[in-house]
Amino acid sequence: MSETYLAGIIIVLLTSVIFPISIVLIVSRRKMASERIRKEIILASLEKNANLDVKELVNKMNESKKLLKEKLISKLEGGLITLFIGIGLLIAACLASTVGGVRWMLFNCIMGGIVCTAVGIALLISYYIGKRMLAKEIEAEEKEKCNK
């Protein structure tokens, strides 16, 4: 077995197995820690004030920090960024093919460009559909924010 073949296998294992598993573990531990802290806050609040309405406290703690409009704008932003990355990769593949780039590099650029472009278009479509469907909710949310 050659050293380059072994290095390729190691790189593939790192990127396709170990990194995703470690990301999932980090995110799940963060969520568990957040839930533990929330429970501690609720228990401490109940110890200090026995007449506290737990449902109201939980609702206040669960309130989304982002408004619907902000969520839609972040979806638009992500869609545009991903779309432009995909277009950039496709342009890079075209330029590399005219210069005489390496075949595997061209293939990776083309596949990555297609995937990024498709994801970007999907996010943009999701933004526009969400904007139409949630127009009344966004308006009500803005009125509620102005009344506070």
Side-chain angles (χ1 to χ4, degrees), residues 1 9 15 20 53 80 84 93 98 124 130 138 140:
M1 209 186 284
I9 290 174
T15 57
D53 186 15
L80 288 173
F84 288 134
T98 59
L124 291 176
I138 291 172

Side-chain angles (χ1 to χ4, degrees), residues 51-101:
N51 298 328
L52 183 69
D53 186 15
V54 178
K55 286 184 181 180
E56 184 179 326
L57 179 64
V58 170
N59 286 338
K60 284 184 180 180
M61 290 178 71
N62 285 338
E63 283 183 4
S64 176
K65 292 176 179 53
K66 279 189 172 182
L67 299 174
L68 287 174
K69 191 173 188 178
E70 292 171 341
K71 290 179 183 178
L72 281 174
I73 288 174
S74 65
K75 194 174 284 192
L76 173 67
E77 185 179 274
L80 288 173
I81 290 170
T82 311
L83 179 67
F84 288 134
I85 288 172
I87 291 171
L89 283 171
L90 291 173
I91 290 172
C94 290
L95 292 175
S97 68
T98 59
V99 176

Side-chain angles (χ1 to χ4, degrees), residues 5-136:
Y5 183 73
L6 184 62
I9 290 174
I10 291 172
I11 290 172
V12 168
L13 284 175
L14 280 174
T15 57
S16 64
V17 177
I18 296 174
F19 288 151
I21 290 173
S22 62
I23 289 172
V24 168
L25 285 174
I26 291 169
V27 169
S28 63
R29 283 190 177 198
R30 178 180 251 177
K31 283 184 181 181
M32 287 172 36
S34 172
E35 288 297 318
R36 188 180 68 247
I37 290 171
R38 288 183 50 187
K39 287 176 186 176
E40 289 173 2
I41 290 172
I42 291 171
L43 289 174
S45 299
L46 283 173
E47 287 175 2
K48 290 181 182 179
N49 185 2
N51 298 328
L52 183 69
D53 186 15
V54 178
K55 286 184 181 180
E56 184 179 326
L57 179 64
V58 170
N59 286 338
K60 284 184 180 180
M61 290 178 71
N62 285 338
E63 283 183 4
S64 176
K65 292 176 179 53
K66 279 189 172 182
L67 299 174
L68 287 174
K69 191 173 188 178
E70 292 171 341
K71 290 179 183 178
L72 281 174
I73 288 174
S74 65
K75 194 174 284 192
L76 173 67
E77 185 179 274
L80 288 173
I81 290 170
T82 311
L83 179 67
F84 288 134
I85 288 172
I87 291 171
L89 283 171
L90 291 173
I91 290 172
C94 290
L95 292 175
S97 68
T98 59
V99 176
V102 182
R103 176 174 253 155
W104 65 267
M105 187 180 99
L106 291 175
F107 178 76
N108 288 340
C109 280
I110 290 171
M111 287 297 113
I114 290 172
V115 168
C116 286
T117 304
V119 169
I121 290 171
L123 284 170
L124 291 176
I125 290 171
S126 173
Y127 163 76
Y128 286 112
I129 290 173
K131 185 178 172 183
R132 280 191 195 158
M133 291 178 68
L134 299 173
K136 291 180 184 178

